[in-house]
Amino acid sequence: NDASIGPFCNIAEGVTIGGGTRLGVGVSCKSAVKIGKNCEINEYVTIEKALIDDDVSIGQHTVIGKAGFGFETNEEHILKIPHLGRVIIGRKSSIGANCCIDRGTLQDTRIEELVMIDNQVHISHNVQIGRKTIILAQVGIAGSAVVKENCIIGGQSGIADHVEIAAGTVILSHSGVTKTISIA
């Protein structure tokens, strides 16, 4: 009853919005969206196929839960792979403005609790981000990568698909990670 829905919002049937949550101007929530309590969803955010826990903030113009970039090719065709998963965002996480978090193909894309994501970050399908990880501006994380808890990823870094980053890893700005980082 105490949720606040701004003007020009588009809320699909079946969407759940928790008490104390505020949606800014022009927010779009497609079906299969659940937003927890005391969240701050800023202007012109688009959300679909997502579960967002309590106390999450999302910056302007961010897109959460759209299909990722996945294709299969043969000699004659390029076929888009369906993305049937969701995006799950843990409590007290913060996502900056102009970010894109793709839903998973068959499994979910998962952002654990207390994850801080700066502006203009792209997180691809099936990515797993561990709790208390900090991701700075303009980072790109490719599909099915796993970033364990308490990592820091410097600005304008890129992480290749299917790699795993060990807990507590610090990736410096402008880095390219193409192989798994493990701690012996």
Side-chain angles (χ1 to χ4, degrees):
N1 290 334
D2 60 347
S4 172
I5 310 295
F8 307 111
C9 287
N10 180 7
I11 311 297
E13 185 175 346
V15 169
T16 302
I17 300 171
T21 290
R22 295 186 301 164
L23 274 59
V25 173
V27 171
S28 176
C29 293
K30 310 288 185 183
S31 60
V33 168
K34 180 178 180 183
I35 301 172
K37 296 183 239 173
N38 302 313
C39 293
E40 180 74 29
I41 313 297
N42 285 287
E43 293 76 20
Y44 303 105
V45 169
T46 298
I47 306 170
E48 63 183 73
K49 294 192 177 186
L51 303 177
I52 299 171
D53 208 338
D54 299 339
D55 302 304
V56 171
S57 67
I58 301 174
Q60 295 88 342
H61 300 281
T62 287
V63 177
I64 295 175
K66 296 298 259 182
F69 191 74
F71 296 90
E72 286 291 329
T73 62
N74 62 30
E75 291 181 16
E76 297 180 24
H77 299 287
I78 297 177
L79 303 171
K80 186 163 175 55
I81 297 171
H83 287 70
L84 307 173
R86 305 168 295 179
V87 173
I88 299 175
I89 300 174
R91 69 180 186 82
K92 294 188 177 181
S93 290
S94 177
I95 299 165
N98 297 302
C99 293
C100 183
I101 302 174
D102 298 339
R103 68 178 180 255
T105 49
L106 295 175
Q107 69 184 50
D108 296 326
T109 299
R110 186 175 298 271
I111 312 289
E112 297 294 339
E113 66 181 5
L114 297 166
V115 171
M116 301 293 122
I117 300 173
D118 199 356
N119 300 328
Q120 297 180 332
V121 169
H122 181 208
I123 297 174
S124 298
H125 59 276
N126 303 335
V127 169
Q128 311 292 306
I129 306 289
R131 72 185 300 273
K132 292 181 70 178
T133 289
I134 299 170
I135 303 172
L136 283 79
Q138 298 180 343
V139 165
I141 303 176
S144 300
V146 176
V147 178
K148 298 290 188 171
E149 65 275 356
N150 296 311
C151 291
I152 299 173
I153 303 171
Q156 294 184 331
S157 293
I159 298 175
D161 60 310
H162 300 278
V163 301
E164 186 171 312
I165 308 299
T169 299
V170 176
I171 298 172
L172 299 178
S173 296
H174 302 280
S175 294
V177 178
T178 60
K179 296 189 182 341
T180 291
I181 298 173
S182 56
I183 297 178

